[in-house]
Every structure is written in C-alpha cells, then in structure tokens.
Amino acid sequence: MIPEALICLALAVHYEARGETHAGQLAVARVVLNRAWGRRGDVCVVTFAPHQFSPLHQRGRAWHLRHLPHGRAWRAALAVARAALRERVAFARWPDEPRSALERATHFHAEGACPSWSAVLQYIGCVGEHHFYWPHPRGYAVGPGPCLPRGITL
C-alpha cells in the first residue's frame, strides 16, 4: 500500500507538472513539501487546500484518492514524489546543510499566468514552464520576476 502523503504529493506533481522534465517536477514537489513543513508536515492538507493546486479542486481529496491516475506519467510522478520525500528527510536530519533558493521555494505559477501574489514575493527563477518564488526575508519583493504591472514591458 502506498502511503497517503506520497499519493497526495504525486497527485500534485502529476496534475501541475506532468509535461515537465524530472527537474521541473521535482521543483514543484519541493514547493508542496516546503508548504507542508509549516503545517506539521501534512502534505495532503497542503495539496488539497483551497486555491492551491487548481486541478485537484475539481473533485476533491476523497475522489482523487479513490481514482488514481495510471500510466507512464503517473509512475513518473510517483518516482519524483518518492525522491522529494527522501530529500526532505535528509534536510530534516541535517538542517544546516546549504540549500539553494530554488529548494526553498514556497510558490510557483505556470508560464503565462500572473497571480497577484507574485508582486509581493521574491522571484527565484524558472524551471521549465514554471516560475518559482519565496517570501523575501525582509517582507518585500525585489525585482519584477516574469510578471510586470499591466502596460509595462521590457
């Protein structure tokens, strides 16, 4: 039997980053785990929280846990979720190990989207078709990231 946390993380990876490379899928998985870290480690609570991962809200947690995807993309998402969970355990054991900013990201959005929260978070960078952010240590955003105010172009 597959642990529920692994299934929830794999669902987020599958529905949010199915077409991405391994690195892109791992970056999305890290965001879910970084958010879960602040919620007593409950990956499923984060995965199914309102306004978080939109493809998962159409039918809800119970439905998704009973109707798991299948095929190569699902197996890849499970493998990425396992790798991300192993990595998280290593970070917990050795919290002073240096981590890149991307490994600490708490938010992401797809290319072409421009959520309102992107203006108040620190832009980290892009992996594949996703842009990643984290809260700035001083509480304000530095640099525009990929989203600019309406009417402004570079």
Side-chain angles (χ1 to χ4, degrees):
M1 181 154 182
I2 302 173
E4 190 173 82
L6 176 62
I7 292 172
C8 290
L9 184 56
L11 284 167
V13 169
H14 180 76
Y15 286 111
E16 291 286 348
R18 179 175 35 226
E20 291 285 347
T21 64
H22 178 81
Q25 290 183 352
L26 186 58
V28 166
R30 286 174 177 155
V31 167
V32 176
L33 291 174
N34 288 342
R35 288 192 194 174
W37 192 256
R39 296 201 180 190
R40 295 188 214 138
D42 196 327
V43 175
C44 291
V45 166
V46 170
T47 299
F48 290 99
H51 311 292
Q52 299 303 309
F53 305 105
S54 57
L56 296 170
H57 289 285
Q58 295 169 357
R59 293 202 170 104
R61 179 177 177 169
W63 187 91
H64 280 289
L65 293 176
R66 284 192 318 270
H67 300 90
L68 296 178
H70 51 76
R72 187 179 346 167
W74 175 243
R75 289 190 300 275
L78 278 169
V80 166
R82 279 189 191 96
L85 286 167
R86 278 194 304 269
E87 181 182 84
R88 173 56 67 186
V89 168
F91 287 149
R93 286 188 183 150
W94 300 287
D96 296 331
E97 280 293 309
R99 292 172 58 200
S100 73
L102 192 58
E103 290 171 329
R104 294 179 295 204
T106 56
H107 292 72
F108 70 88
H109 65 78
E111 181 71 38
C114 219
S116 59
W117 51 257
S118 67
V120 296
L121 295 176
Q122 174 67 50
Y123 179 67
I124 298 169
C126 181
V127 178
E129 296 292 318
H130 289 90
H131 295 277
F132 293 86
Y133 300 78
W134 67 337
H136 190 276
R138 294 190 185 103
Y140 57 86
V142 177
C147 294
L148 297 170
R150 293 182 196 268
I152 297 177
T153 59
L154 293 178

CSV table of all heavy atoms in Angstrom, one decimal, residues 109-134:
chain,number,residue,atom,x,y,z
A,109,HIS,N,4.1,29.4,-10.3
A,109,HIS,CA,3.0,29.5,-11.3
A,109,HIS,C,3.5,29.1,-12.7
A,109,HIS,O,4.7,29.1,-12.9
A,109,HIS,CB,2.4,30.9,-11.3
A,109,HIS,CG,3.3,32.0,-11.8
A,109,HIS,ND1,3.5,32.2,-13.1
A,109,HIS,CD2,4.0,32.9,-11.1
A,109,HIS,CE1,4.3,33.3,-13.2
A,109,HIS,NE2,4.6,33.7,-12.0
A,110,ALA,N,2.6,28.8,-13.5
A,110,ALA,CA,2.9,28.4,-14.9
A,110,ALA,C,3.2,29.6,-15.7
A,110,ALA,O,2.8,30.7,-15.4
A,110,ALA,CB,1.7,27.6,-15.5
A,111,GLU,N,4.0,29.3,-16.7
A,111,GLU,CA,4.4,30.4,-17.7
A,111,GLU,C,3.1,31.0,-18.2
A,111,GLU,O,2.1,30.2,-18.5
A,111,GLU,CB,5.2,29.7,-18.9
A,111,GLU,CG,5.6,30.7,-19.9
A,111,GLU,CD,6.7,31.7,-19.4
A,111,GLU,OE1,7.6,31.2,-18.7
A,111,GLU,OE2,6.6,32.8,-19.8
A,112,GLY,N,3.0,32.3,-18.3
A,112,GLY,CA,1.8,32.9,-18.9
A,112,GLY,C,0.8,33.4,-17.8
A,112,GLY,O,0.0,34.3,-18.0
A,113,ALA,N,0.9,32.8,-16.6
A,113,ALA,CA,0.0,33.2,-15.5
A,113,ALA,C,0.7,34.3,-14.8
A,113,ALA,O,1.9,34.4,-14.8
A,113,ALA,CB,-0.3,32.0,-14.6
A,114,CYS,N,-0.1,35.2,-14.1
A,114,CYS,CA,0.5,36.3,-13.4
A,114,CYS,C,-0.3,36.5,-12.1
A,114,CYS,O,-1.1,37.4,-12.0
A,114,CYS,CB,0.5,37.5,-14.3
A,114,CYS,SG,2.0,38.5,-14.0
A,115,PRO,N,-0.2,35.6,-11.1
A,115,PRO,CA,-1.1,35.7,-9.9
A,115,PRO,C,-0.7,37.0,-9.1
A,115,PRO,O,0.4,37.4,-9.2
A,115,PRO,CB,-0.7,34.5,-9.1
A,115,PRO,CG,0.6,34.0,-9.7
A,115,PRO,CD,0.7,34.5,-11.1
A,116,SER,N,-1.7,37.5,-8.4
A,116,SER,CA,-1.5,38.7,-7.6
A,116,SER,C,-0.4,38.6,-6.6
A,116,SER,O,0.4,39.5,-6.3
A,116,SER,CB,-2.8,39.1,-7.0
A,116,SER,OG,-3.2,38.1,-6.1
A,117,TRP,N,-0.2,37.4,-6.0
A,117,TRP,CA,0.8,37.2,-5.0
A,117,TRP,C,2.3,37.3,-5.6
A,117,TRP,O,3.2,37.5,-4.8
A,117,TRP,CB,0.7,35.9,-4.3
A,117,TRP,CG,0.5,34.7,-5.1
A,117,TRP,CD1,-0.6,34.0,-5.4
A,117,TRP,CD2,1.6,34.0,-5.8
A,117,TRP,NE1,-0.3,32.9,-6.2
A,117,TRP,CE2,1.0,32.9,-6.5
A,117,TRP,CE3,3.0,34.2,-5.9
A,117,TRP,CZ2,1.8,32.0,-7.3
A,117,TRP,CZ3,3.7,33.3,-6.7
A,117,TRP,CH2,3.1,32.2,-7.4
A,118,SER,N,2.4,37.2,-6.9
A,118,SER,CA,3.8,37.3,-7.4
A,118,SER,C,4.4,38.7,-7.2
A,118,SER,O,5.7,38.8,-7.2
A,118,SER,CB,3.8,37.0,-8.9
A,118,SER,OG,3.1,38.0,-9.7
A,119,ALA,N,3.6,39.7,-7.0
A,119,ALA,CA,4.2,41.0,-6.7
A,119,ALA,C,4.8,41.2,-5.4
A,119,ALA,O,5.5,42.2,-5.1
A,119,ALA,CB,3.1,42.1,-7.0
A,120,VAL,N,4.4,40.4,-4.4
A,120,VAL,CA,4.9,40.5,-3.0
A,120,VAL,C,5.8,39.4,-2.6
A,120,VAL,O,6.2,39.4,-1.4
A,120,VAL,CB,3.7,40.6,-2.1
A,120,VAL,CG1,2.9,41.9,-2.3
A,120,VAL,CG2,2.9,39.4,-2.1
A,121,LEU,N,6.2,38.5,-3.5
A,121,LEU,CA,7.2,37.5,-3.2
A,121,LEU,C,8.5,37.7,-4.0
A,121,LEU,O,8.5,38.3,-5.0
A,121,LEU,CB,6.6,36.1,-3.4
A,121,LEU,CG,5.4,35.7,-2.6
A,121,LEU,CD1,4.9,34.4,-3.0
A,121,LEU,CD2,5.8,35.7,-1.1
A,122,GLN,N,9.5,37.1,-3.5
A,122,GLN,CA,10.8,37.2,-4.1
A,122,GLN,C,10.9,36.2,-5.3
A,122,GLN,O,10.7,35.0,-5.0
A,122,GLN,CB,12.0,36.9,-3.1
A,122,GLN,CG,13.3,36.8,-3.7
A,122,GLN,CD,13.8,38.2,-4.3
A,122,GLN,OE1,13.8,39.2,-3.6
A,122,GLN,NE2,14.3,38.1,-5.5
A,123,TYR,N,11.1,36.7,-6.5
A,123,TYR,CA,11.3,35.8,-7.6
A,123,TYR,C,12.6,35.0,-7.5
A,123,TYR,O,13.6,35.7,-7.3
A,123,TYR,CB,11.2,36.6,-8.9
A,123,TYR,CG,11.3,35.7,-10.2
A,123,TYR,CD1,10.3,34.8,-10.5
A,123,TYR,CD2,12.4,35.9,-11.0
A,123,TYR,CE1,10.5,34.0,-11.6
A,123,TYR,CE2,12.5,35.1,-12.1
A,123,TYR,CZ,11.6,34.2,-12.4
A,123,TYR,OH,11.7,33.4,-13.6
A,124,ILE,N,12.6,33.7,-7.7
A,124,ILE,CA,13.8,32.9,-7.6
A,124,ILE,C,14.3,32.6,-9.0
A,124,ILE,O,15.5,32.7,-9.4
A,124,ILE,CB,13.6,31.6,-6.8
A,124,ILE,CG1,13.2,31.9,-5.4
A,124,ILE,CG2,14.8,30.7,-6.9
A,124,ILE,CD1,12.7,30.7,-4.6
A,125,GLY,N,13.4,32.0,-9.8
A,125,GLY,CA,13.8,31.7,-11.2
A,125,GLY,C,12.8,30.7,-11.8
A,125,GLY,O,11.7,30.5,-11.3
A,126,CYS,N,13.2,30.2,-12.9
A,126,CYS,CA,12.3,29.4,-13.8
A,126,CYS,C,12.9,28.0,-14.0
A,126,CYS,O,14.1,27.9,-14.2
A,126,CYS,CB,12.1,30.1,-15.1
A,126,CYS,SG,11.0,29.3,-16.2
A,127,VAL,N,12.1,27.0,-13.9
A,127,VAL,CA,12.5,25.6,-14.3
A,127,VAL,C,11.4,25.2,-15.3
A,127,VAL,O,10.2,25.0,-14.9
A,127,VAL,CB,12.6,24.7,-13.1
A,127,VAL,CG1,12.9,23.3,-13.5
A,127,VAL,CG2,13.6,25.2,-12.1
A,128,GLY,N,11.7,24.9,-16.5
A,128,GLY,CA,10.8,24.5,-17.5
A,128,GLY,C,9.7,25.6,-17.7
A,128,GLY,O,10.1,26.8,-17.9
A,129,GLU,N,8.5,25.2,-17.5
A,129,GLU,CA,7.4,26.2,-17.7
A,129,GLU,C,6.8,26.8,-16.4
A,129,GLU,O,5.7,27.3,-16.4
A,129,GLU,CB,6.2,25.4,-18.5
A,129,GLU,CG,6.6,25.0,-19.9
A,129,GLU,CD,6.8,26.1,-20.8
A,129,GLU,OE1,6.0,27.1,-20.8
A,129,GLU,OE2,7.8,26.1,-21.6
A,130,HIS,N,7.6,26.7,-15.3
A,130,HIS,CA,7.1,27.2,-14.1
A,130,HIS,C,8.1,28.2,-13.5
A,130,HIS,O,9.3,28.1,-13.6
A,130,HIS,CB,6.9,26.1,-13.1
A,130,HIS,CG,5.7,25.2,-13.4
A,130,HIS,ND1,5.9,24.1,-14.1
A,130,HIS,CD2,4.4,25.3,-13.0
A,130,HIS,CE1,4.7,23.5,-14.3
A,130,HIS,NE2,3.8,24.2,-13.6
A,131,HIS,N,7.5,29.3,-12.9
A,131,HIS,CA,8.3,30.3,-12.2
A,131,HIS,C,8.1,30.1,-10.7
A,131,HIS,O,7.0,29.9,-10.2
A,131,HIS,CB,7.8,31.7,-12.6
A,131,HIS,CG,8.0,32.0,-14.1
A,131,HIS,ND1,9.2,32.4,-14.6
A,131,HIS,CD2,7.2,31.8,-15.1
A,131,HIS,CE1,9.1,32.5,-15.9
A,131,HIS,NE2,7.9,32.2,-16.3
A,132,PHE,N,9.2,30.3,-10.0
A,132,PHE,CA,9.3,30.0,-8.5
A,132,PHE,C,9.6,31.2,-7.7
A,132,PHE,O,10.4,32.0,-8.1
A,132,PHE,CB,10.3,28.8,-8.3
A,132,PHE,CG,9.9,27.5,-8.9
A,132,PHE,CD1,10.2,27.3,-10.2
A,132,PHE,CD2,9.1,26.6,-8.2
A,132,PHE,CE1,9.7,26.1,-10.8
A,132,PHE,CE2,8.7,25.5,-8.8
A,132,PHE,CZ,9.0,25.2,-10.1
A,133,TYR,N,9.0,31.2,-6.5
A,133,TYR,CA,9.1,32.4,-5.6
A,133,TYR,C,9.3,31.9,-4.1
A,133,TYR,O,8.9,30.7,-3.8
A,133,TYR,CB,7.8,33.2,-5.6
A,133,TYR,CG,7.5,33.8,-7.0
A,133,TYR,CD1,6.9,33.0,-8.0
A,133,TYR,CD2,7.7,35.1,-7.2
A,133,TYR,CE1,6.6,33.5,-9.2
A,133,TYR,CE2,7.4,35.7,-8.5
A,133,TYR,CZ,6.8,34.8,-9.4
A,133,TYR,OH,6.5,35.4,-10.7
A,134,TRP,N,9.6,32.8,-3.3
A,134,TRP,CA,9.6,32.6,-1.8
A,134,TRP,C,9.4,33.9,-1.1
A,134,TRP,O,9.7,34.9,-1.7
A,134,TRP,CB,10.9,31.8,-1.4
A,134,TRP,CG,12.2,32.6,-1.5
A,134,TRP,CD1,12.5,33.6,-2.3
A,134,TRP,CD2,13.4,32.3,-0.8
A,134,TRP,NE1,13.8,34.0,-2.1
A,134,TRP,CE2,14.3,33.2,-1.2
A,134,TRP,CE3,13.7,31.4,0.2
A,134,TRP,CZ2,15.6,33.3,-0.7
A,134,TRP,CZ3,15.0,31.4,0.7
A,134,TRP,CH2,15.9,32.3,0.3
